[in-house]
């Protein structure tokens, strides 16, 4: 119903004009670029984290999992403040980076870091659940047959995790695309540099409510399309059932590892 109400509030006669202004185009382009960069960073950092949480048996593992998943329950503005006091000019690492001529806060890099901070748990929790469901039996069998660890990872583990990896990456991208609180706290709102589409919507809400509504609907449509396309690609093929990381052919009882 909120989405229906949002659609009803759009001024359709001026919709195209409202969403194609210069500031709107800059915000949309910046959002897409930073969300994509954030997703890549989430994959690079999230896959090792998920492997660690799913495969390693440490006593401090519950604490590590809590730290990784903390952004899910932490208010984004608090995350932005934490990043600011870490990478800001007078932050824990920021003052050292500043001495080297590297400025992160209130830059496009800060946008990417803020989006990564809030989106990373979505990928980690998706991959960890998939790894726990699939188990370790296929990796162990491959290892007993003489496969090297790298071969096991490339030929066994990654194909098993591919649907979960795509799903987690899509969720991370969608979350990064809609990030607001951490971004405005850590990166500010500079047109063409740090003002993403959610920040542009917030600004237009004060100056031009019609443009804010149109941009809000545009953001909703983009997010829905991304999720639909991605989940269509990882959907279960006709006549097969996904069971424990394997494709099980209906009625035949045959099981094979995904290609």
């Amino acid at each position: 119903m909120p989405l229906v109400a949002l659609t009803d509030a759009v001024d359709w006669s001026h919709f195209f004009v409202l969403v194609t202004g210069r500031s709107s185009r800059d915000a949309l382009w910046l959002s897409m670029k930073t969300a994509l960069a954030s997703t890549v960073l989430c994959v690079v950092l999230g896959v090792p984290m998920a492997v660690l949480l799913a495969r390693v048996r440490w006593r401090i593992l519950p604490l590590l999992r809590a730290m990784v998943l903390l952004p899910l329950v932490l208010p984004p503005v608090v995350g932005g403040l934490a990043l600011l006091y870490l990478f800001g000019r007078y932050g824990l690492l920021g003052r050292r980076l500043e001495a080297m001529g590297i400025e992160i806060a209130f830059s496009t890099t800060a946008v990417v870091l803020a989006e990564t901070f809030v989106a990373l748990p979505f990928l980690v929790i998706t991959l960890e659940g998939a790894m726990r469901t699939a188990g370790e039996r296929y990796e162990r069998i491959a290892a007993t047959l003489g496969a090297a660890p790298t071969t096991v990872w490339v030929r066994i583990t990654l194909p098993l995790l591919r649907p979960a990896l795509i799903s987690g990456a899509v969720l991370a991208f969608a979350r990064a695309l809609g990030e607001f609180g951490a971004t405005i706290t850590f990166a500010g709102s500079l047109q063409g540099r740090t003002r993403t589409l959610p920040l542009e919507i917030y600004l237009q809400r004060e100056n031009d409510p019609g443009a804010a509504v149109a941009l809000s609907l545009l953001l909703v449509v983009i997010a829905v399309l991304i999720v639909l396309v991605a989940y269509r690609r990882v959907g279960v093929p006709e006549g097969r059932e996904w069971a424990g990381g394997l494709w099980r052919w209906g009625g035949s009882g045959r099981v094979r590892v995904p290609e």
Side-chain angles (χ1 to χ4, degrees):
M1 291 302 295
L3 296 180
V4 172
L6 183 66
T7 304
D8 183 65
V10 174
D11 182 3
W12 292 104
S13 61
H14 298 90
F15 178 80
F16 186 76
V17 175
L18 292 173
V19 299
T20 56
R22 180 178 178 181
S23 61
S24 300
R25 285 186 281 109
D26 289 345
L28 177 59
W29 175 238
L30 180 64
S31 292
M32 299 300 289
K33 287 194 303 181
T34 55
L36 183 59
S38 170
T39 303
V40 172
L41 198 55
C42 284
V43 172
V44 172
L45 298 176
V47 172
M49 286 183 180
V51 173
L52 180 68
L53 294 177
R55 294 288 191 255
V56 179
R57 302 291 183 268
W58 290 348
R59 290 185 178 181
I60 64 171
L61 202 61
L63 179 60
L64 291 177
R65 182 179 292 107
M67 292 295 99
V68 172
L69 302 183
L70 186 61
L72 289 176
V73 297
L74 199 67
V77 66
V78 176
L81 282 174
L83 290 170
L84 186 61
Y85 281 102
L86 177 63
F87 293 109
R89 177 173 296 180
Y90 303 105
L92 187 63
L93 295 179
R95 57 176 175 265
R96 295 175 174 83
L97 294 175
E98 182 79 13
M100 300 168 58
I102 301 175
E103 297 182 5
I104 293 181
F106 304 103
S107 66
T108 305
T109 302
V111 177
V112 175
L113 291 177
E115 292 176 348
T116 302
F117 180 79
V118 300
L120 182 62
F122 289 87
L123 186 137
V124 173
I125 198 171
T126 302
L127 276 183
E128 183 192 359
M131 294 189 72
R132 289 185 178 277
T133 301
E136 302 178 45
R137 55 189 181 277
Y138 305 116
E139 289 94 333
R140 290 177 178 175
I141 292 173
T144 59
L145 294 176
T150 304
T151 303
V152 173
W153 174 254
V154 174
R155 299 293 300 275
I156 304 295
T157 306
L158 279 183
L160 292 178
L161 295 179
R162 183 172 55 189
L165 180 59
I166 295 175
S167 300
V170 169
L171 289 175
F173 182 86
R175 179 65 186 89
L177 192 64
E179 167 52 28
F180 174 81
T183 302
I184 197 171
T185 306
F186 181 42
S189 180
L190 304 173
Q191 183 175 344
R193 187 178 179 186
T194 65
R195 186 181 299 166
T196 57
L197 194 56
L199 272 64
E200 177 68 17
I201 292 171
Y202 181 79
L203 180 65
Q204 292 292 352
R205 181 178 175 272
E206 301 294 332
N207 301 327
D208 188 354
V213 173
L215 290 173
S216 298
L217 184 61
L218 178 64
L219 184 58
V220 170
V221 171
I222 292 173
V224 170
L225 288 177
I226 291 171
V227 173
L228 286 178
V229 171
Y231 275 88
R232 181 180 179 84
R233 290 180 61 84
V234 299
V236 178
E238 185 177 357
R240 290 188 282 179
E241 174 188 359
W242 184 257
L246 298 176
W247 290 122
R248 185 182 302 278
W249 292 81
S252 65
R254 292 179 293 155
V255 175
R256 67 182 179 91
V257 176
E259 298 176 357

